[in-house]
Structures are given as C-alpha cells and as structure tokens.
Amino acid sequence: MRTQETTGMFLYHPGNGHLDKLNFTELFAYSESHEDVAVVWDSKTFPLWDIEYLKSQIQKYKLSRIIIAGYDTGMVKPIFARVFSNLQLNVENILLEDFKEHGILESGNTELGKALLSCAIYNVALEDILPDEEKKVCTETLIIGAGIAGIQAALEIANANHKVHLIERTGTIGGHMAMFDKTFPTLDCAACILTPKMVEIGQHPSINLLTYSEVQSVTGTPGNFKVKVLQKARRVSLSKCIGCGSCAEKCPGKARSEFDVGTTFRKAIYIPFPQAVPNKYLIDAEACRYVQGKKCGVCVKNCPVPGCIDLDEKDSEIELCVGNIIIATGFKTFEATKLANYGYGSFPNVLTSLEFERLTNAAGPTEGKITFRTQNKKGDWIFSPQSDSPERVGIIHCVGSRDINHNQYCSRVCCMYSLKLAHLVKEKIPDAEVYEYYIDMRSFGKGYEAFYERIKSEGVHLLRGKPAEVRMDENNLIIRSEDIDGRRLLEQKVDMVILSVGLEPAAGSAEIAKLCGVTTDSDGWMDEANYVTSPVNTFAEGVLIAGLCQGPKDIPDTVAQASAAASEVLQHIVRTSMRKNIPELPLAEIRTRAKNLSLKMEDRK
Amino acid sequence: MSQRINPELKKELLKFGAKDWNDCYHCGNCTATCQLTEREILFPRKAIRQAQMGLTESLASNADPWLCYYCGDCSDTCPRDANPGEIMMTLRRYLTSVYDWTGFSGMLYKSAKAHIVVMLVLFLSVVAAFLIFGGPMITELTSDGGVRLNTFAPAEIIAGIDHIVLLTLSFFLLTNMINMYYKVVLKDKTVHIPWYLYFTEIGEALLNFGTQLRFSKCNKSRMYWFGHWFLMIGYVTMFVLIIFFLSWFQTDNINVWYHPQRLIGYIITAGFLFGTIFFMIGRIRKKKQIFKHSHHSDWIFVVLLFLVAFSGILIHIFRINGLPFATYYTYVAHLAFEIPMVVTFVAFSKWSHLAYRPLAIYFSNMKKKTRELQLKSKLSVSY
C-alpha cells in the first residue's frame, strides 16, 4: 500500500452459509475503525447491481484501492474491475481476501479474520509478519513404515543429504508393493522397479534403517521430537550374517510365510524373500523351537560365522531425536472371511487378490504357475506347482468396499488391479475364461481407460452386477449374480474365484496416529490438513502423512504424495525453524507489524 | 416401447411408505440374493429401476412385487441400505391403489387419518345399527345354560348383511382383479399368451394360494412362513364359515368340546391369535428386516385382526358361561371391529394381496411359458 492511496473495503458474504461461523458485525466494526480504511461496505446492504451508484461512491471517497474480503470474492471482482477501468483507476488495486485461508472458515476464528483484514489493508501476507521461533529444527527425520511411500520419502530426503531414520515393523522393507506381480496400467514388474530403490535404501549413507522395530512413544515439540523405538530381537546379527542360508536348511521350525500371505511355509529362521533389504536372516520367535523352550540350536551349529546367531538376544530400546515425522504405515487388505456368502476360508479355491498376486508371481510359491490350492501330504492347504490349472476364473470386485455393512468407501485400486489380474490369467492360461463381476468400472487415471479397453479386447467377460453368493457343487464353484447388462440371472460355474478385497488402514496405524497426535476419520484413515490443498500436512505440526495411511490410492499417487511429504520436510529443515502459531500474536501487534512491513516494502521501491 | 416419464412418482411413492430408495446404485445384489428370482423374473432391482425412473406404465404392468414375500435377505445384504424389500412392499401398496379404479385404496394408504376416520365412521354405524335394529336382550338362558344370542342378533339376518357386504366387496375386488389382468397381461404387447396356458398354469397358482410354498422357499426361518400361512388359512376358513354357514356356526346350543363346530372355531382362533401376536411382537421389536418399517396400514390391520379374534373368544366364553349382557356387548364390538376391517382391507388395502398374489404368480407363469414358446419358435426358424 502506498501512503497516498485511499482504501475501501467491501465485505462480501454470498449468503450460502460458508461464513456463518464468523462474526461479521465485528469484522465490519473493526474495518470501519481502522485508520487506513476510508469506507467499508457490507454486501448485504450495498446495492452492488447499481453500477452508477458504485461509481459515484468510489468518486465520493476518492478510492484508489479496494479490498474485497469474504468468500468466493472472485465472483464480484469483475463488477469492481469494470468500474475501476471506467474511472481510469488501476485494476490491479482490487485485492481479494478470502477467509478460506488459514482455516478461518472451519474454525470460525473472527480474531484471525481481523488479522487477515489488517494484513490485506497493508497488502502484506500474514505469514510474512510472523516472527520465527527461536528453537531450531532438528534436521533428522523419522519415517514410520518402509513401503513404497516410506522408501520414496526417505530417498528424497536422504538425497538432499539429510539424515533419515526409516522404521519398519517387519524384517524387510518393501511393503505390499514387493508382493505384487505387476503394476497397472503399464504392467511393469513390481519387483523390478521397486528393488533398485530398496537396494539404494540399504546402501545409502544418510539412511539409518531400523527393520523389525516399532515406535514406542513420541514426546517433545515440533522440530524436536524424542522418539523411543523398540528394536525387536532378530537373534541374527545384522553385521555378521552373510545370508548364506545354511541355518535355514536344517531348521526344524515351520510357519506360514507372511510374504506369501500364508500360501506357503517358511522356516523359523528365515529371510522374508530373496530380494529382502536387509538381506539378512532373522528368527521368528513363535516358531523357533529353542525360543519356545524346546531343545534345539541347529542353526547355531550350522552357521559358518561364529557369534552370528544369538538365540538369547533380547529386545532393545533406542531413543532418536528427530525434527519431522512422516507416517507411511500403509494398509491391510479387507478380511474376506467376514463375507461368509463368498465362501472364503471354506472353499479352498476362493482366493483373495493378494494371494493370487503371490500365486502368479514368478518368485511365488508356484514360480508363477496359476494352480489350484491343494492339500499336501500333511493336510495343509498350499499352492504347489504340481497341481492343475483352472480353466474358468471369476473375479469379484468391491469385496468389502462400497458396502454399508463393511466399508462404505471405494478402495480405488480394486477395479484396476482386478483388470490386471484378468490379464495375467489370460496371459498365463490363454484358453481360460475370465469373468469379472463389477458394480461400476472405475478406471480413473492416466492410461487406465485404455487399459480397460485393452482387457476387454482380450476377451475377458465383464459382467455388471454384484454377486450375492459363491457356492460349491461337486466340481465347480458357482457364482450367483444378476447379469445386469444381459438382463438375466446368472449362475456361472467357475474353477477359481478371486476376491478383489478392499483396503483398510494397517493394523496398529491407529496407535501410531495417536502417538503422533494425528487424528483419524471414521474409517481409520489419517486426517490431512486439507484434502485439496495440503494433502500431506496434518493438524499436528511437524508430522506428515504419505501413502495409504491417508486413504486408498494407487502406487503412482502414493509415490507422488511421498515426494510431497519429503519436500515439506525439506522446507522445514531449510528454514531451520517452525512457524509460530498464528493466533498467538495479539491483534494490535499484527497491525503494527503489517504497517511497518508495508512501509519497509514501500521504501525499497 | 415409448412411454411418458412421471417425475412426480417419487413423491407419490414416498406417501406409500418408501424410504431411502434413491440410495440404490443398481449393483444387482438384491436380485442375486433373492431365492425367488428366476431367469426371466428379475426382482427387486428391475422394479426399483422403474420406480426411480418414473415409469408408471411399466410399473403398472409389472406384477413382480407380488411375487415377493419380504423375507428381508435383500435388505440385510444391500450394500447401500436402500431397503429393496421395503421398496417392494411400498410398490405392493402402490400397485393396490393402481389396480383400484375407485381411488379409495390410494386414499386409505396415503393418509393414516383418512383410514382411521373411515373406520371410526363404520365402527359407529355398526354400533348405531345395533342400537336401532338389534333384537331384544334376553337374560333368560337356554336349557344348557347358554346365552340366547340368536334372539339378539339372528344368524339369518347377520348372514344376509354379510352377503350384501360380500357381494359389494366382491364386485370391487373382482373389477380390480380384472383391472390388474388388463394392466399386467393385456397391455403387455411383448407376449401373446396362447389360450391353453390359462388352464395349464392355474394349478400352481391355486397350490400357492393354499400353501404359500414359494414363501417357504425364501426364508430360512420357517416360523414366519408358518405364522403367515396359519393366519391366512384361519381367515379364509372363517370367511367361508361366516358367509355360507353362519347359522351353523353361530348357534345358541352349546356343543361338546370335540364337536367340529367348536374344534374348527378353536383352530381358526388359534391361527388368528398366533399370527397377529407374532406379527405385533415382531413389529414392536423391529429385529427382523421385515418388521423394521411399519406403515400405518400394517398396524391397523394387525391390531384390528387381533381385536376381532379376541372379541370372538370373549363372545364364546361369555355365551357358554351364561353372561347375557357381556355376550351382547362383545358381540356388537366384535362386529364393529370386523365390518371396518373387512370393508377397508379386503378390496382396497392389505388383505387384497390374497387375490393379487396368486394372480401375479398365475400371470407371470403364463408369461414365462409364452416367452419360452416364443424363443423356441424363433430358434426353430433359424435352424
């Protein structure tokens, strides 16, 4: 603002209820009492449609600047612009001040609204007049969860030469993406694009990788968090293990492999999967005979490195000091047994999509051969490469999603991954008939619709209609559904059913959110500060979210959000300070600061 | 087939008790869940679609809602909580008013007040009729200690009134049934039913009328089917007795307990009481899907039916125990409950499904057979 300018204020409230929380009479009185405002008009009483009147008023007060404050202020700007250009005034002097900013609308904070008006009058940004807090931000960052989101964010920050502590609950990083066979819509091999990043994490000098660890507590203030981390006992030394595998060869303990979603068995001393990072063995305490109190120790005898395996190792606790926290805890899939009518858990060849993902993976239990789940000699149901392949496969969408009885939201990825699975079946068993049952086909992204068209052209039967039940006769599974486009009731006989299960917040994510002071919505997804304009910030300063913990999304979006979170962290680090909370300054203080800053800026010109 | 869309249908159906039905996103779960769905008969989704789109003509010629017995499976599993079962129930009410050419049915269904007022008027006129035309109230008992009810209300006269009521109501119900036939069969130009199917398909409709076998197919809990069937069979038997054998049924002499007149009466009353109490408890507890939403016609119906049965029992007890005045008063009350119920429900409201449901089964079976024949003839031409 230049000192010779005369400013008018137009308070615009469109009457759609958005501004109801604000006390407009107070705002009006405040602006009127302001020494640098010539006149204040209220849109409720001001006849805005009367252009001539507006003109005469502007001339009367000799206005050269006007501030339109309120909601959707852009709506009325053209009217003022017309009059301004008519009067040969500078149109650039029409300023818009929206109460959407700083969350004023949500909080209904009239005081903050006044501060915003003050700053508008002096044409300075509210952020610019706030003092930087003295406390320095710790440059180290904690990332909780090492799936693709955590990996991406860690690499972005670490590549900027800042220290990252990456915490992972399981024995390896990689998360769900490492389990997938292909990614849609490009059909890239998931492992091929993920493992280079995983290796980079493992070797990066700025990344402190803490696998098999959990966050215990978070204390301190934004910029200086103290985090206690529980390191569960791996019982195999990370530095000494050479990953030779002699220990696992003779190990008598057996458990279902988490990485293969329980479709195969692994030993009690195991490596989660061949490309695991860190590529070191660890011991599953529950399956280990020695830990469970029986006589064993075969692994220690077989290990070629002395002192590598310590069966009596105890859990340990470490404390970290970090400036920012990124939560990337990811998801778990919907528990398909909740839908008894689809027979998951009672019919062996009703699989979840994740199980099928492992089955069709070249590194999976059958080396990529799609086979039936059969009983082995001991009576356990597993996939084995010796079994037959199905000829008819049904894929049921929206299992647990878009259903008021389970999860009401759309899990967003199921349509696309189901199409991908249909393609994989067709690719591996060209003569197979694939029946996809969908409610609506949501192919929403770049290249997704083309992918959908491609799958259609591959001869997959796409049937609109949510199946009501899957039942079994002697040899077949029967899917009963309404074929809506075919106007008939359909009882389709198939050999294998894949349930496209929806996504839910990961187990334990609620506790993590609570520890970090992040709120969650009714479905358990973590709340972002603003869904549209700040999707990685949370209401807890210094705590950011990335990936599935915020809500269902696909891999490209997850990676994008992880990068965004990393950029936010880097901002905090570069500024080396955290912003002081806006409402803490008194209003008069804001006003003088704004005026001084404006004068300073004028001098500069 | 072109037809006019009625944008007001939504408002209209709301008055018949529909709820949340715009939530339906047509996933087809209800159709696939329903055990009564057949290849050709896709309900409830098809009817919901027609209702949502305002296709009044298609709805009027769609008899599918009558095939539904409201087991509630579709509403239980509906992913949108759109209550397909309740929509079918609403459509049955709506269709009753569509078939009824007098418009009386729509009035009773849409307004609880109108229904109650009509019933009150009928109730009071019955009482008034007894005050004016009723026979002498004799306190003297019969030789075996019973009340001389037939002097107060001679069975022949009551039977005569019954016949008049019956004839009038039958006229309305029959014309409504013909209207239904016209709307469902004649107006549907896609099928041309060969004449012999009218005879071959009548058996299953009658069988279903007597046994409600289709109903027993649809719900795992047989209790509801039994309650429904018992009530229906009790009512029909009672109807036949009152209309054609009233002088045998309403006697002054007290028969031994195993006499068929008393036994039949007991069984019928048991059916009434069991059915009505079962439904009333269900509607109060609202645990099962079918009982969750109660329209005023449901409540009035079940309560009146209970009162009729209950007052019937009281008459019997008072009469054989020689309590003359109690007998006479309860008799008046009994008729004053019964006449409004019969008049408002038989032809114009809930009870008319007794006629429409078997008819719908009859019609849709005929249509189904005709379509099969048409398909066969088409195939034979092409080969």
Side-chain angles (χ1 to χ4, degrees):
Chain A
M1 180 200 144
R2 296 193 185 88
T3 24
Q4 66 272 23
E5 278 172 346
T6 329
T7 307
M9 172 93 72
F10 182 76
L11 286 175
Y12 178 58
H13 32 149
N16 48 12
H18 284 290
L19 294 173
D20 284 355
K21 281 189 186 168
L22 286 176
N23 186 344
F24 247 79
T25 16
E26 249 185 64
L27 286 176
F28 189 83
Y30 177 75
S31 334
E32 252 191 343
S33 68
H34 204 289
E35 76 259 19
D36 286 317
V37 179
V39 61
V40 187
W41 297 316
D42 189 342
S43 69
K44 265 188 191 157
T45 49
F46 191 82
L48 198 60
W49 61 91
D50 191 346
I51 299 276
E52 286 308 313
Y53 178 71
L54 180 61
K55 217 188 226 174
S56 67
Q57 286 292 305
I58 287 175
Q59 279 169 334
K60 182 181 160 197
Y61 292 102
K62 299 198 177 61
L63 296 184
S64 55
R65 264 178 102 235
I66 194 123
I67 297 160
I68 310 172
Y71 183 83
D72 261 354
T73 43
M75 297 285 287
V76 288
K77 191 188 173 184
I79 303 169
F80 287 92
R82 213 160 89 199
V83 178
F84 260 52
S85 50
N86 250 336
L87 294 170
Q88 313 241 314
L89 291 168
N90 191 354
V91 182
E92 279 176 18
N93 281 343
I94 303 171
L95 301 174
L96 304 183
E97 197 56 66
D98 218 304
F99 288 126
K100 263 188 284 192
E101 282 178 36
H102 302 290
I104 296 176
L105 282 190
E106 287 94 33
S107 59
N109 190 338
T110 310
E111 288 302 304
L112 196 53
K114 286 180 193 169
L116 203 69
L117 286 181
S118 249
C119 292
I121 290 162
Y122 296 112
N123 200 6
V124 293
L126 183 56
E127 292 90 337
D128 291 341
I129 59 155
L130 296 167
D132 285 338
E133 213 177 0
E134 294 304 308
K135 257 190 257 167
K136 288 276 180 282
V137 166
C138 173
T139 57
E140 294 180 14
T141 308
L142 173 76
I143 299 180
I144 306 170
I148 179 62
I151 289 173
Q152 178 73 16
L155 285 178
E156 300 254 348
I157 298 167
N159 284 340
N161 290 333
H162 290 292
K163 180 90 178 164
V164 174
H165 304 280
L166 184 57
I167 292 193
E168 168 60 39
R169 186 167 52 180
T170 65
T172 175
I173 64 171
H176 279 100
M177 188 177 168
M179 300 157 117
F180 299 155
D181 185 38
K182 297 275 160 60
T183 59
F184 60 79
T186 47
L187 293 174
D188 284 312
C189 154
C192 310
I193 53 178
L194 179 68
T195 39
K197 282 178 190 276
M198 288 166 60
V199 172
E200 212 182 327
I201 293 273
Q203 296 173 344
H204 207 294
S206 298
I207 295 174
N208 173 25
L209 183 57
L210 299 163
T211 51
Y212 220 45
S213 304
E214 279 173 24
V215 174
Q216 288 288 83
S217 70
V218 179
T219 51
T221 53
N224 288 283
F225 291 114
K226 301 259 182 304
V227 182
K228 270 191 191 150
V229 177
L230 174 79
Q231 280 197 297
K232 290 181 277 184
R234 284 179 81 102
R235 294 184 169 84
V236 179
S237 162
L238 273 175
S239 52
K240 286 179 185 161
C241 176
I242 53 169
C244 65
S246 356
C247 50
E249 269 171 35
K250 296 277 161 61
C251 175
K254 209 169 77 163
R256 286 198 180 260
S257 157
E258 290 89 2
F259 186 75
D260 282 334
V261 219
T263 56
T264 47
F265 287 98
R266 58 159 171 78
K267 297 290 172 62
I269 183 163
Y270 69 107
I271 202 158
F273 69 107
Q275 287 82 27
V277 173
N279 207 332
K280 315 278 173 173
Y281 278 78
L282 72 152
I283 290 175
D284 176 357
E286 277 168 31
C288 176
R289 285 173 60 86
Y290 181 87
V291 180
Q292 295 300 324
K294 288 173 193 154
K295 226 179 158 188
C296 194
V298 180
C299 48
V300 184
K301 279 176 209 153
N302 278 291
C303 182
V305 187
C308 174
I309 303 174
D310 174 11
L311 288 173
D312 297 314
E313 191 189 333
K314 292 275 169 301
D315 296 355
S316 59
E317 211 176 66
I318 54 168
E319 198 177 82
L320 303 169
C321 179
V322 295
N324 293 282
I325 299 174
I326 298 180
I327 306 179
T329 47
F331 67 96
K332 67 168 192 280
T333 51
F334 174 76
E335 190 61 56
T337 41
K338 282 186 200 164
L339 279 164
N341 49 340
Y342 289 156
Y344 179 76
S346 22
F347 307 143
N349 284 301
V350 178
L351 331 177
T352 65
S353 45
L354 204 53
E355 285 175 339
F356 187 80
E357 206 69 70
R358 289 312 302 156
L359 175 63
T360 187
N361 192 307
T366 60
E367 287 161 356
K369 197 179 167 212
I370 299 171
T371 59
F372 289 123
R373 186 161 15 204
T374 46
Q375 262 175 316
N376 66 5
K377 282 173 200 156
K378 284 181 186 168
D380 296 314
W381 289 95
I382 53 158
F383 291 115
S384 103
Q386 282 82 42
S387 311
D388 297 329
S389 293
E391 282 163 7
R392 298 157 301 175
V393 177
I395 304 180
I396 301 176
H397 288 224
C398 293
V399 175
S401 311
R402 301 188 71 199
D403 188 333
I404 214 156
N405 307 311
H406 302 284
N407 293 325
Q408 221 183 330
Y409 53 83
C410 165
S411 292
R412 209 167 160 209
V413 289
C414 321
C415 281
M416 292 308 293
Y417 80 57
S418 304
L419 290 174
K420 177 193 77 186
L421 295 183
H423 168 83
L424 292 176
V425 174
K426 276 281 187 188
E427 191 183 66
K428 297 208 164 139
I429 319 168
D431 293 336
E433 298 290 341
V434 183
Y435 304 91
E436 288 230 15
Y437 296 86
Y438 66 95
I439 303 175
D440 296 296
M441 187 58 77
R442 295 185 164 177
S443 48
F444 57 92
K446 180 183 175 185
Y448 290 11
E449 186 70 20
F451 186 70
Y452 172 39
E453 293 298 329
R454 172 182 169 183
I455 303 304
K456 266 203 270 187
S457 70
E458 283 175 1
V460 173
H461 304 283
L462 290 151
L463 303 164
R464 202 166 116 72
K466 183 182 163 81
E469 63 169 353
V470 175
R471 61 171 197 276
M472 207 169 166
D473 66 5
E474 299 91 59
N475 302 312
N476 309 292
L477 290 161
I478 299 168
I479 305 176
R480 183 183 163 104
S481 80
E482 183 188 353
D483 175 6
I484 292 176
D485 294 332
R487 296 187 182 186
R488 60 185 174 155
L489 183 78
L490 191 62
E491 295 213 322
Q492 182 63 48
K493 289 181 179 169
V494 294
D495 304 321
M496 181 183 269
V497 174
I498 304 170
L499 303 178
S500 296
V501 283
L503 310 181
E504 286 175 351
S509 71
E511 288 80 48
I512 295 283
K514 212 173 167 190
L515 286 179
C516 299
V518 176
T519 51
T520 54
D521 67 9
S522 54
D523 296 316
W525 304 109
M526 295 181 194
D527 285 328
E528 61 291 303
N530 185 306
Y531 185 72
V532 180
T533 53
S534 65
V536 296
N537 291 85
T538 63
F539 291 113
E541 186 86 37
V543 181
L544 304 142
I545 47 177
L548 266 294
C549 65
Q550 182 223 356
K553 56 176 71 69
D554 54 4
I555 295 170
D557 287 0
T558 301
V559 172
Q561 201 186 11
S563 294
S567 96
E568 196 80 17
V569 168
L570 289 174
Q571 268 185 53
H572 292 173
I573 295 174
V574 169
R575 276 210 319 249
T576 65
S577 61
M578 297 299 249
R579 197 183 297 147
K580 195 170 176 178
N581 275 344
I582 293 163
E584 283 175 23
L585 278 179
L587 196 56
E589 173 79 10
I590 289 178
R591 196 154 143 179
T592 29
R593 274 169 183 271
K595 192 166 184 177
N596 293 342
L597 188 63
S598 138
L599 289 172
K600 218 191 279 175
M601 281 158 70
E602 202 181 320
D603 290 345
R604 232 177 272 166
K605 277 171 195 158
Chain B
M1 246 195 340
S2 67
Q3 62 174 298
R4 207 173 264 276
I5 279 177
N6 176 12
E8 298 300 312
L9 183 65
K10 183 186 157 186
K11 284 184 200 161
E12 181 86 359
L13 285 180
L14 284 176
K15 291 180 196 156
F16 284 91
K19 277 180 197 77
D20 305 328
W21 60 312
N22 265 356
D23 285 352
C24 172
Y25 62 19
H26 298 280
C27 63
N29 181 62
C30 45
T31 316
T33 308
C34 181
Q35 294 302 311
L36 295 174
T37 320
E38 289 165 46
R39 214 182 153 79
E40 289 291 332
I41 303 163
L42 292 170
F43 71 89
R45 201 189 60 81
K46 189 175 152 193
I48 299 172
R49 185 72 170 166
Q50 289 167 345
Q52 278 186 342
M53 290 177 74
L55 305 176
T56 20
E57 280 173 44
S58 296
L59 265 183
S61 70
N62 186 353
D64 292 352
W66 296 111
L67 303 182
C68 162
Y69 289 90
Y70 203 170
C71 68
D73 282 354
C74 51
S75 292
D76 278 333
T77 56
C78 176
R80 297 277 292 170
D81 231 355
N83 275 317
E86 186 58 25
I87 296 173
M88 294 304 265
M89 186 72 226
T90 306
L91 285 176
R92 284 195 284 278
R93 289 179 202 128
Y94 171 72
L95 286 178
T96 309
S97 81
V98 168
Y99 302 150
D100 176 33
W101 53 272
T102 58
F104 189 53
S105 162
M107 189 187 86
L108 294 180
Y109 267 133
K110 282 189 227 170
S111 158
K113 257 186 217 162
H115 202 147
I116 290 169
V117 167
V118 168
M119 296 215 310
L120 265 181
V121 168
L122 287 169
F123 182 90
L124 292 176
S125 34
V126 171
V127 176
F130 269 104
L131 283 178
I132 301 165
F133 304 111
M137 293 190 183
I138 307 170
T139 45
E140 185 192 333
L141 301 179
T142 54
S143 52
D144 40 7
V147 176
R148 291 175 188 273
L149 183 58
N150 276 318
T151 325
F152 174 64
E156 307 84 56
I157 297 173
I158 300 290
I161 296 167
D162 279 355
H163 291 155
I164 294 166
V165 172
L166 172 80
L167 276 177
T168 331
L169 291 179
S170 307
F171 168 73
F172 285 116
L173 189 60
L174 265 176
T175 45
N176 288 349
M177 282 158 74
I178 292 166
N179 199 8
M180 177 184 179
Y181 171 69
Y182 169 72
K183 288 208 154 86
V184 175
V185 179
L186 293 185
K187 268 189 126 183
D188 189 353
K189 300 282 184 231
T190 55
V191 284
H192 222 82
I193 298 171
W195 60 270
Y196 58 86
L197 281 184
Y198 282 93
F199 298 98
T200 53
E201 294 307 312
I202 206 159
E204 199 191 326
L206 283 179
L207 181 73
N208 264 301
F209 178 77
T211 59
Q212 299 173 357
L213 267 186
R214 281 172 62 89
F215 192 5
S216 67
K217 212 163 64 168
C218 71
N219 207 347
K220 279 155 200 107
S221 148
R222 291 291 166 88
M223 198 60 174
Y224 183 62
W225 163 77
F226 182 72
H228 192 257
W229 175 80
F230 203 6
L231 182 59
M232 190 279 299
I233 218 70
Y235 190 88
V236 171
T237 325
M238 182 67 91
F239 203 74
V240 172
L241 281 182
I242 286 173
I243 300 299
F244 301 105
F245 306 101
L246 190 74
S247 37
W248 175 74
F249 191 65
Q250 183 183 321
T251 53
D252 283 354
N253 33 346
I254 299 167
N255 297 315
V256 278
W257 67 269
Y258 50 80
H259 187 272
Q261 181 247 7
R262 272 178 82 168
L263 272 189
I264 290 176
Y266 289 147
I267 293 169
I268 293 168
T269 331
F272 268 79
L273 285 182
F274 178 78
T276 50
I277 292 175
F278 179 72
F279 289 133
M280 278 198 285
I281 292 175
R283 286 200 185 279
I284 290 167
R285 287 166 78 190
K286 293 191 182 181
K287 280 221 176 115
K288 279 194 183 160
Q289 193 56 250
I290 165 161
F291 296 132
K292 274 187 186 159
H293 308 278
S294 298
H295 188 251
H296 66 255
S297 60
D298 301 334
W299 267 118
I300 297 176
F301 178 63
V302 70
V303 170
L304 269 191
L305 209 52
F306 172 76
L307 287 174
V308 168
F310 188 64
S311 55
I313 298 170
L314 286 185
I315 295 171
H316 181 69
I317 294 171
F318 292 149
R319 188 177 68 82
I320 57 176
N321 288 314
L323 299 166
F325 284 107
T327 312
Y328 299 142
Y329 291 139
T330 32
Y331 189 81
V332 173
H334 181 66
L335 277 195
F337 289 133
E338 174 139 25
I339 291 287
M341 192 198 68
V342 170
V343 170
T344 52
F345 279 99
V346 167
F348 305 107
S349 188
K350 207 173 168 67
W351 211 225
S352 60
H353 77 268
L354 212 71
Y356 297 147
R357 189 167 266 154
L359 269 185
I361 295 172
Y362 183 43
F363 294 155
S364 19
N365 279 346
M366 287 200 297
K367 279 188 180 177
K368 195 169 76 185
K369 283 273 158 63
T370 314
R371 286 218 181 84
E372 277 166 17
L373 291 172
Q374 280 171 348
L375 195 68
K376 246 184 221 168
S377 65
K378 255 187 216 164
L379 288 177
S380 61
V381 169
S382 61
Y383 277 106

